[in-house]
């Protein structure tokens, strides 16, 4: 049966939206099952961090490279390859029997996911005519992408309730097959004969910088921050970043053209990208641990509790667009960031109450979600709309890279703060335990959500028979993480506002 162009476009849009849904789900559904993975795979907090970070770092690694490869060799072809890689690695993730295998397969899954993301945007831009048709296509893509991110926690929780953790990954196998069938029957091939050369040095050095920094923060406590190994990693990371800066400055076809940072609106919006991923999205990794281990909720109940955190991100973008037109992004973006920070401070107070529950966390969760909903769309539109059209693709790539790099680094930082604050609390309230190595192992277990530790640490039976110390240590640790998230975003909101503000208006004030 022959398909008319309009029918082909509908199927093409369905393929793009399905792949966007899968990308979003793999970010937001996996955190809900991390406490389960920690127990079943006998992992620790670092393993759980790497299960998430492997995906985000890999996605960041391929973003800029795939855009060039897709332009040169064909966007449809690269999209099919990325889908196949994503489906195969999702199968391996679902069958993994150890944390190590899961981390490696998550990295490869992230490569496929990052490639999918870039191809989605390129295909939509080519397949749909400029104007209403393209606007509607991008609108549908954005909504489905948001659904994947927003409903991921409850979808992950429900899959756990009716089956097991394996299907949080395995569900993508049939979805990938369906998407591939749609792609083969609808998407047109497109390429750019004038495609620029691949910036290999820039890609490798930026990827090594992000990985090195995340590794230093995550493994630092175990290695010892002043150890030769840790210092060597830090020196290598800084060296890679310096080489990256020189490579981009000297390259005739750089990934990042630093001249765009001189544009106030671009730089101000970029701080919005960093701000959203400084606290809101990395905390998605840890919030399920708080709901399940701190409050004792089931996986489904934790997923439902997370809806207050994620759903506002879907509801408020249309309002954000109207506000941007009326008050300018320079007001809306910093205001949204300030709301995210305020939400985190409210969550800190809610988590510290005597009878803490999802209700005491509700005001902060809602406010943080509303803040992100007000920030996300204006940031995307401002970064791409404030540069010349010839550099819109680069601006979009820098924006996406800033988000994923901030996410990867702050997953590591939040885990470090959580573990160290728990360790600090245990040292204060368990003076009878002098073995710091043992206390650190205990703190790591608590941070990963394992509060039933009396068998592994018999001394706790006499010191903390009721488990109060362990529970309080976990809540105390989360309080510090929320404080970090709140104050950090406030600082970024202030920087964004200052950058957006014209020099003249600042001098007049």
């Amino acid at each position: 049966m022959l398909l008319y162009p309009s029918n082909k476009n509908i199927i093409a849009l369905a393929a793009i939206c399905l792949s966007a849904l899968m990308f979003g789900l793999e970010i937001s559904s996996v955190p809900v099952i991390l406490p389960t993975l920690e127990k079943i795979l006998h992992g620790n907090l670092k393993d759980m961090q790497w299960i998430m970070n492997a995906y985000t770092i890999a996605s960041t690694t391929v973003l800029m490279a795939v855009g060039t490869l897709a332009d040169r060799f064909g966007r449809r072809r690269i999209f099919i390859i990325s889908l196949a890689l994503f489906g195969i690695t999702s199968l391996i993730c679902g069958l993994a029997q150890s944390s190590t295998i899961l981390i490696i397969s998550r990295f490869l899954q992230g490569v496929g996911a990052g490639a999918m993301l870039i191809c989605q945007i390129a295909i939509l831009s080519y397949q749909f005519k400029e104007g209403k048709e393209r606007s509607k296509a991008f609108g549908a893509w954005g909504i489905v992408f948001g659904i994947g991110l927003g409903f991921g926690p409850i979808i992950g929780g429900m899959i756990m309730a009716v089956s097991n953790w394996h299907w949080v990954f395995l569900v993508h196998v049939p979805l990938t097959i369906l998407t591939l069938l749609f792609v083969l029957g609808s998407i047109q091939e497109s390429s750019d004969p004038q495609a620029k050369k691949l910036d290999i040095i820039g890609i490798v050095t930026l990827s090594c910088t992000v990985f090195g920094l995340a590794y230093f923060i995550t493994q630092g406590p175990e290695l010892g921050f002043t150890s030769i190994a840790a210092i060597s990693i830090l020196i290598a990371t800084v060296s890679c970043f310096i080489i990256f800066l020189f490579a981009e400055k000297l390259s005739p076809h750089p990934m990042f053209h630093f001249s765009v940072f001189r544009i106030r609106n671009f730089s101000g919006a970029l701080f919005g990208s960093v701000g959203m991923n400084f606290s809101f999205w990395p905390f998605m990794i840890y919030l399920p641990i708080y709901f399940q281990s701190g409050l004792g909720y089931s996986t489904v109940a934790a997923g439902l509790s997370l809806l207050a955190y994620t759903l506002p991100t879907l509801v408020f973008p249309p309002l954000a667009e109207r506000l941007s037109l009326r008050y300018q992004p320079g007001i809306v973006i910093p205001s949204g960031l300030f709301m995210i920070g305020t939400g985190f401070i409210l969550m800190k107070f809610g988590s510290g109450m005597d009878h803490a529950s999802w209700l005491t966390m509700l005001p902060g969760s809602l406010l943080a979600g509303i803040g992100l909903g007000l920030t996300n769309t204006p940031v995307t539109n401002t970064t791409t709309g404030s540069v010349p059209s010839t550099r819109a693709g680069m601006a979009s790539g820098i924006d996406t890279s800033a988000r994923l790099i901030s996410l990867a680094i702050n997953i590591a930082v939040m885990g470090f703060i959580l573990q160290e604050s728990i360790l600090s609390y245990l040292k204060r309230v368990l003076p009878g335990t002098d073995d710091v190595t043992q206390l650190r192992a205990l703190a790591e277990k608590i941070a990963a959500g394992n509060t039933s530790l009396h068998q592994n640490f018999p001394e706790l039976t006499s010191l903390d028979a009721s488990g109060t110390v362990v529970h309080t240590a976990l809540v105390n640790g989360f309080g510090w993480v929320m404080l970090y998230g709140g104050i950090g975003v406030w600082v970024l909101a202030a920087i964004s506002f200052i950058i957006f503000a014209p020099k003249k208006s600042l001098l007049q004030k």
Side-chain angles (χ1 to χ4, degrees):
M1 179 180 169
L2 293 174
L3 290 173
Y4 291 103
S6 59
N7 292 332
K8 279 192 173 184
N9 279 357
I10 291 170
I11 296 173
L13 183 58
I16 297 297
C17 288
L18 266 176
S19 62
L21 178 70
M22 291 189 288
F23 183 94
L25 283 175
E26 277 306 275
I27 291 176
S28 64
S29 65
V30 175
V32 180
I33 65 169
L34 289 180
T36 303
L37 292 177
E38 191 267 338
K39 294 171 186 173
I40 292 176
L41 300 181
H42 307 291
N44 52 36
L45 180 65
K46 292 183 182 65
D47 293 331
M48 300 307 107
Q49 288 175 281
W50 282 114
I51 285 169
M52 290 305 303
N53 246 345
Y55 184 87
T56 54
I57 291 173
S59 295
T60 307
T61 301
V62 301
L63 275 176
M64 303 303 287
V66 169
T68 303
L69 290 173
D71 287 343
R72 182 177 295 180
F73 299 108
R75 289 129 187 179
R76 180 178 182 266
R77 180 179 297 149
I78 299 297
F79 188 45
I80 289 171
I81 293 170
S82 66
L83 277 167
L85 178 61
F86 184 83
I88 292 167
T89 51
S90 295
L91 177 64
I92 298 170
C93 286
L95 299 177
Q97 297 298 315
S98 71
S99 297
T100 303
I101 296 297
L102 184 54
I103 290 167
I104 294 169
S105 52
R106 280 283 284 172
F107 182 87
L108 295 172
Q109 188 188 39
V111 171
M116 281 195 318
L117 182 62
I118 288 298
C119 291
Q120 289 164 16
I121 298 167
I123 290 169
L124 284 174
S125 299
Y126 179 82
Q127 186 98 9
F128 295 88
K129 293 178 183 177
E130 198 169 343
K132 270 190 177 182
E133 188 181 2
R134 187 179 295 175
S135 178
K136 285 181 180 178
F138 269 100
W141 170 77
I143 289 169
V144 174
F145 196 6
I147 288 171
L149 289 170
F151 285 90
I154 186 59
I155 291 172
M158 289 176 68
I159 290 173
M160 279 285 293
V162 300
S163 184
N164 53 51
W165 69 267
H166 301 278
W167 279 99
V168 173
F169 299 106
L170 293 176
V171 71
H172 296 294
V173 177
L175 286 176
T176 300
I177 293 170
L178 180 61
T179 305
L180 280 168
L181 291 174
F182 284 167
V183 169
L184 293 171
S186 63
I187 290 177
Q188 304 167 37
E189 184 59 280
S190 63
S191 60
D192 180 6
Q194 306 299 319
K196 294 177 180 178
K197 291 182 179 179
L198 203 60
D199 181 11
I200 295 174
I201 297 175
I203 292 164
V204 171
T205 52
L206 180 61
S207 302
C208 289
T209 300
V210 177
F211 178 81
L213 187 55
Y215 190 88
F216 176 78
I217 297 166
T218 304
Q219 304 297 135
E222 187 176 309
L223 295 172
F225 285 110
T226 57
S227 67
I228 294 174
I231 292 172
S232 300
I233 291 166
L234 188 59
I235 291 171
T237 301
V238 173
S239 301
C240 283
F241 184 63
I242 292 170
I243 295 169
F244 168 74
L245 293 177
F246 276 104
E248 296 308 285
K249 194 74 176 173
L250 300 173
S251 173
H253 306 292
M255 280 196 312
F256 290 359
H257 205 297
F258 294 120
S259 62
V260 296
F261 293 104
R262 298 194 194 104
I263 302 169
R264 282 184 168 272
N265 279 2
F266 177 83
S267 294
L270 200 65
F271 271 94
S273 292
V274 173
M276 291 184 296
N277 293 275
F278 184 93
S279 59
F280 188 92
W281 289 120
F283 195 54
M284 271 283 295
I285 313 305
Y286 300 101
L287 200 49
I289 296 175
Y290 172 76
F291 280 127
Q292 291 181 60
S293 299
L295 299 181
Y297 291 171
S298 66
T299 308
V300 175
L304 286 169
S305 300
L306 280 166
L307 288 178
Y309 190 73
T310 57
L311 281 185
T313 66
L314 302 179
V315 176
F316 281 85
L319 174 62
E321 280 294 282
R322 294 195 192 99
L323 290 173
S324 290
L325 292 173
R326 185 170 181 180
Y327 298 107
Q328 302 301 316
I331 299 296
V332 176
I333 291 172
S335 299
L337 292 179
F338 184 79
M339 289 178 70
I340 294 173
T342 306
F344 268 72
I345 300 301
L346 288 177
M347 282 193 286
K348 172 180 164 44
F349 284 115
S351 67
M353 290 185 177
D354 290 337
H355 301 288
S357 68
W358 69 272
L359 279 172
T360 62
M361 294 285 287
L362 184 62
S365 296
L366 283 173
L367 192 62
I370 291 169
L372 188 121
L374 292 177
T375 308
N376 192 26
T377 307
V379 162
T380 303
N381 292 344
T382 305
T383 50
T384 53
S386 60
V387 301
S389 58
T390 54
R391 289 186 176 167
M394 178 186 287
S396 177
I398 293 174
D399 174 33
T400 308
S401 296
R403 294 174 188 236
L404 292 176
I405 290 169
S406 303
L407 176 62
I409 290 171
N410 279 287
I411 287 173
V413 172
M414 284 188 171
F416 172 75
I417 292 171
L418 180 61
Q419 184 176 326
E420 290 302 307
S421 54
I422 290 173
L423 177 61
S424 176
Y425 181 84
L426 292 176
K427 285 179 180 177
R428 291 199 311 269
V429 299
L430 298 176
T433 5
D434 299 321
D435 190 345
V436 178
T437 304
Q438 191 176 38
L439 274 182
R440 185 173 291 282
L442 176 60
E444 192 172 308
K445 289 285 185 184
I446 295 171
N450 190 348
T451 52
S452 304
L453 296 162
H454 291 75
Q455 286 184 342
N456 296 332
F457 298 89
E459 65 275 8
L460 281 177
T461 305
S462 57
L463 295 170
D464 183 32
S466 63
T468 304
V469 168
V470 169
H471 181 267
T472 308
L474 180 67
V475 173
N476 177 74
F478 270 99
W480 282 104
V481 174
M482 293 172 198
L483 187 64
Y484 164 78
I487 293 175
V489 177
W490 278 346
V491 171
L492 290 167
I495 295 171
S496 177
F497 180 75
I498 291 167
I499 291 174
F500 268 118
K503 289 181 180 179
K504 286 184 180 179
S505 65
L506 288 174
L507 289 173
Q508 288 170 359
K509 289 179 182 178

